[in-house]
Amino acid sequence: MTHSAHHSAGQAGGAPDDARWTMRSILQRIATGPTLSKDIAHDEAQLAMEAILAERVDPVQAGIFLIALRMKRETDDELKGILDAIRATTHSVTADVDEVVDIADPYDGYNRCLPAAPFVPAVLAACEVPAVTHGLDRVGPKFGVTHRHVLAAAGVPVDLAPEEAAARLADPGLGWTYLDQRAFNPALHGLIHLRTTIVKRQAITTTEVLAKPILGRRRTHYVTGYVHKPYPRIYALLARHVGFDSALLVRGVEGGIVPSLRQPGVCVGYQHRGEEQTYDIDPTALGIEQVVRSVPLPDDLPQTTRPGDEIAVAVDVGATAQAAARAGLAALGGAKGPTYDSLVFSAALILWHLGRSDSLRAAAERVRAVLDSGAAAERIR
């Protein structure tokens, strides 16, 4: 359902006063302090989030709803309800391909390394695996360098409509795309100011990455990263809930899909919507020998302060995105280094997870072949 259709349906189904009364009732229960706050049902969480997306409740109440859930800790049912509201307002398209890998890297970006992950979909496409990455321009808590920034710096279109993005996936010479949240869920994108005002991570941060804007005809696979131990269970639960056929959750640098390049790590996956399993991974087993965890920021990058936060020194997003784009394009053309190894590690994990290679080592060799031959570089346009 489109946002406008959804909006009018919501108006028809109940006046704004109904939404306000529902929200009032919910806030009376969830915002009552550490010992007395009560959980709400899936349907109530969905109704509240739908009302927020349709701008039928006061922004103050919307902010209290999100922060109160965080402070009492969101239940699985509450997260599912919020995700269902996001899915109901997402403009989803089925691409003309059998399988799609949906890559959800942190929407708030990176600020301690040069991100290599924006180029993983191009590598997968060169291995005949259609892949989509999605995100937005800037959002908290990190306000870091995002896929949108890096791909725009590399000359890749970042303002496609969902149908145009799906067409890029189905183009056999291309096979991958970026899709911005502004295009697939304008109502959700419109909440960025509210989220910035809240400051802390809240339920939207967890759920928005599962909006599932582009599907495959037969199967759609979910790949995301995490840092903190509770998240694999939550992401696996939510990925099954919205019907992802498989999921791969990588303990990655800055919560992204690229593991540490220099020490053993872990990833969690499920197949056929089954139970998740945990796997130990070691970069040396893939022939990766690095002294750095991730692609270091160049020494000569300008630094800046964040708007409204004069204490924290932040990376200059534009300059960092340019540096990440240069490093990524060079690695796609076979230039060795930490960006190349990041692409090998992340893409090999995904190919192995999908059963496209018998072992991680074989998957890594396949990725090196498409990088060294220039086949991956040909996918950038």
PDB file of all heavy atoms in Angstrom, residues 6 12 17 45 85 167 171 239 281 301 319 332 339 346 356:
ATOM      1  N   HIS A   6      -2.381   4.512   2.318  1.00  0.00           N
ATOM      2  CA  HIS A   6      -2.371   4.087   3.708  1.00  0.00           C
ATOM      3  C   HIS A   6      -2.919   5.210   4.592  1.00  0.00           C
ATOM      4  O   HIS A   6      -3.692   4.985   5.508  1.00  0.00           O
ATOM      5  CB  HIS A   6      -0.926   3.769   4.096  1.00  0.00           C
ATOM      6  CG  HIS A   6      -0.825   3.092   5.412  1.00  0.00           C
ATOM      7  ND1 HIS A   6      -0.869   1.737   5.527  1.00  0.00           N
ATOM      8  CD2 HIS A   6      -0.696   3.582   6.658  1.00  0.00           C
ATOM      9  CE1 HIS A   6      -0.772   1.420   6.795  1.00  0.00           C
ATOM     10  NE2 HIS A   6      -0.659   2.524   7.508  1.00  0.00           N
ATOM     11  N   ALA A  12      -9.863   7.048   7.275  1.00  0.00           N
ATOM     12  CA  ALA A  12     -11.209   6.481   7.172  1.00  0.00           C
ATOM     13  C   ALA A  12     -11.482   5.541   8.338  1.00  0.00           C
ATOM     14  O   ALA A  12     -12.579   5.475   8.877  1.00  0.00           O
ATOM     15  CB  ALA A  12     -11.359   5.747   5.841  1.00  0.00           C
ATOM     16  N   ASP A  17      -8.436  11.666  16.532  1.00  0.00           N
ATOM     17  CA  ASP A  17      -8.711  11.571  17.966  1.00  0.00           C
ATOM     18  C   ASP A  17      -8.549  10.129  18.461  1.00  0.00           C
ATOM     19  O   ASP A  17      -8.048   9.898  19.552  1.00  0.00           O
ATOM     20  CB  ASP A  17     -10.133  12.062  18.275  1.00  0.00           C
ATOM     21  CG  ASP A  17     -10.216  13.584  18.200  1.00  0.00           C
ATOM     22  OD1 ASP A  17      -9.142  14.214  18.093  1.00  0.00           O
ATOM     23  OD2 ASP A  17     -11.324  14.130  18.242  1.00  0.00           O
ATOM     24  N   ALA A  45       1.440  -1.974  19.272  1.00  0.00           N
ATOM     25  CA  ALA A  45       2.698  -1.391  18.779  1.00  0.00           C
ATOM     26  C   ALA A  45       2.564  -1.021  17.305  1.00  0.00           C
ATOM     27  O   ALA A  45       3.014   0.043  16.862  1.00  0.00           O
ATOM     28  CB  ALA A  45       3.848  -2.380  18.985  1.00  0.00           C
ATOM     29  N   ALA A  85       4.344  -2.177  10.873  1.00  0.00           N
ATOM     30  CA  ALA A  85       3.896  -0.844  10.452  1.00  0.00           C
ATOM     31  C   ALA A  85       4.829  -0.268   9.386  1.00  0.00           C
ATOM     32  O   ALA A  85       4.384   0.348   8.409  1.00  0.00           O
ATOM     33  CB  ALA A  85       3.829   0.089  11.659  1.00  0.00           C
ATOM     34  N   ALA A 167      14.937  -2.820 -11.778  1.00  0.00           N
ATOM     35  CA  ALA A 167      15.381  -3.027 -13.160  1.00  0.00           C
ATOM     36  C   ALA A 167      16.899  -3.187 -13.234  1.00  0.00           C
ATOM     37  O   ALA A 167      17.413  -3.985 -14.024  1.00  0.00           O
ATOM     38  CB  ALA A 167      14.920  -1.870 -14.041  1.00  0.00           C
ATOM     39  N   ASP A 171      19.081  -6.442 -14.720  1.00  0.00           N
ATOM     40  CA  ASP A 171      19.975  -6.245 -15.870  1.00  0.00           C
ATOM     41  C   ASP A 171      21.165  -7.187 -15.721  1.00  0.00           C
ATOM     42  O   ASP A 171      21.956  -7.055 -14.797  1.00  0.00           O
ATOM     43  CB  ASP A 171      20.446  -4.780 -15.889  1.00  0.00           C
ATOM     44  CG  ASP A 171      21.453  -4.493 -16.995  1.00  0.00           C
ATOM     45  OD1 ASP A 171      21.995  -5.455 -17.593  1.00  0.00           O
ATOM     46  OD2 ASP A 171      21.708  -3.307 -17.257  1.00  0.00           O
ATOM     47  N   ALA A 239      13.796 -11.218  10.887  1.00  0.00           N
ATOM     48  CA  ALA A 239      13.980 -11.619   9.483  1.00  0.00           C
ATOM     49  C   ALA A 239      13.031 -12.768   9.127  1.00  0.00           C
ATOM     50  O   ALA A 239      12.426 -12.772   8.047  1.00  0.00           O
ATOM     51  CB  ALA A 239      15.433 -12.020   9.224  1.00  0.00           C
ATOM     52  N   ILE A 281      34.580 -17.890  12.419  1.00  0.00           N
ATOM     53  CA  ILE A 281      35.265 -17.583  11.155  1.00  0.00           C
ATOM     54  C   ILE A 281      36.640 -17.007  11.457  1.00  0.00           C
ATOM     55  O   ILE A 281      36.822 -16.306  12.457  1.00  0.00           O
ATOM     56  CB  ILE A 281      34.447 -16.583  10.296  1.00  0.00           C
ATOM     57  CG1 ILE A 281      33.991 -15.382  11.133  1.00  0.00           C
ATOM     58  CG2 ILE A 281      33.245 -17.280   9.674  1.00  0.00           C
ATOM     59  CD1 ILE A 281      33.246 -14.319  10.352  1.00  0.00           C
ATOM     60  N   LEU A 301      42.864  13.146   6.211  1.00  0.00           N
ATOM     61  CA  LEU A 301      41.450  13.513   6.116  1.00  0.00           C
ATOM     62  C   LEU A 301      41.161  14.731   6.987  1.00  0.00           C
ATOM     63  O   LEU A 301      41.573  14.778   8.144  1.00  0.00           O
ATOM     64  CB  LEU A 301      40.557  12.375   6.606  1.00  0.00           C
ATOM     65  CG  LEU A 301      40.134  11.304   5.615  1.00  0.00           C
ATOM     66  CD1 LEU A 301      39.153  10.373   6.307  1.00  0.00           C
ATOM     67  CD2 LEU A 301      39.499  11.889   4.369  1.00  0.00           C
ATOM     68  N   ALA A 319      34.731  14.170   2.471  1.00  0.00           N
ATOM     69  CA  ALA A 319      36.113  13.761   2.175  1.00  0.00           C
ATOM     70  C   ALA A 319      36.306  12.266   2.429  1.00  0.00           C
ATOM     71  O   ALA A 319      37.003  11.572   1.669  1.00  0.00           O
ATOM     72  CB  ALA A 319      37.084  14.572   3.027  1.00  0.00           C
ATOM     73  N   LEU A 332      38.022  -3.039  -6.504  1.00  0.00           N
ATOM     74  CA  LEU A 332      37.219  -3.731  -7.520  1.00  0.00           C
ATOM     75  C   LEU A 332      38.053  -4.021  -8.762  1.00  0.00           C
ATOM     76  O   LEU A 332      37.776  -4.969  -9.496  1.00  0.00           O
ATOM     77  CB  LEU A 332      36.003  -2.886  -7.926  1.00  0.00           C
ATOM     78  CG  LEU A 332      34.858  -2.758  -6.921  1.00  0.00           C
ATOM     79  CD1 LEU A 332      33.753  -1.894  -7.498  1.00  0.00           C
ATOM     80  CD2 LEU A 332      34.296  -4.126  -6.538  1.00  0.00           C
ATOM     81  N   THR A 339      40.980  -2.865   1.721  1.00  0.00           N
ATOM     82  CA  THR A 339      39.655  -2.799   1.087  1.00  0.00           C
ATOM     83  C   THR A 339      39.406  -4.069   0.267  1.00  0.00           C
ATOM     84  O   THR A 339      38.320  -4.669   0.331  1.00  0.00           O
ATOM     85  CB  THR A 339      39.522  -1.549   0.204  1.00  0.00           C
ATOM     86  OG1 THR A 339      39.746  -0.392   1.002  1.00  0.00           O
ATOM     87  CG2 THR A 339      38.137  -1.444  -0.415  1.00  0.00           C
ATOM     88  N   SER A 346      33.837 -10.444   3.157  1.00  0.00           N
ATOM     89  CA  SER A 346      32.386 -10.278   3.265  1.00  0.00           C
ATOM     90  C   SER A 346      31.653 -11.020   2.146  1.00  0.00           C
ATOM     91  O   SER A 346      30.694 -11.760   2.395  1.00  0.00           O
ATOM     92  CB  SER A 346      32.040  -8.791   3.239  1.00  0.00           C
ATOM     93  OG  SER A 346      30.664  -8.598   3.414  1.00  0.00           O
ATOM     94  N   ARG A 356      26.734 -21.241  -2.623  1.00  0.00           N
ATOM     95  CA  ARG A 356      27.319 -21.087  -3.966  1.00  0.00           C
ATOM     96  C   ARG A 356      28.764 -21.586  -4.023  1.00  0.00           C
ATOM     97  O   ARG A 356      29.336 -21.683  -5.094  1.00  0.00           O
ATOM     98  CB  ARG A 356      27.278 -19.610  -4.408  1.00  0.00           C
ATOM     99  CG  ARG A 356      25.876 -18.998  -4.471  1.00  0.00           C
ATOM    100  CD  ARG A 356      25.041 -19.629  -5.573  1.00  0.00           C
ATOM    101  NE  ARG A 356      23.718 -19.021  -5.657  1.00  0.00           N
ATOM    102  CZ  ARG A 356      23.383 -18.104  -6.567  1.00  0.00           C
ATOM    103  NH1 ARG A 356      24.267 -17.685  -7.445  1.00  0.00           N
ATOM    104  NH2 ARG A 356      22.154 -17.605  -6.585  1.00  0.00           N
TER     105      ARG A 356
END
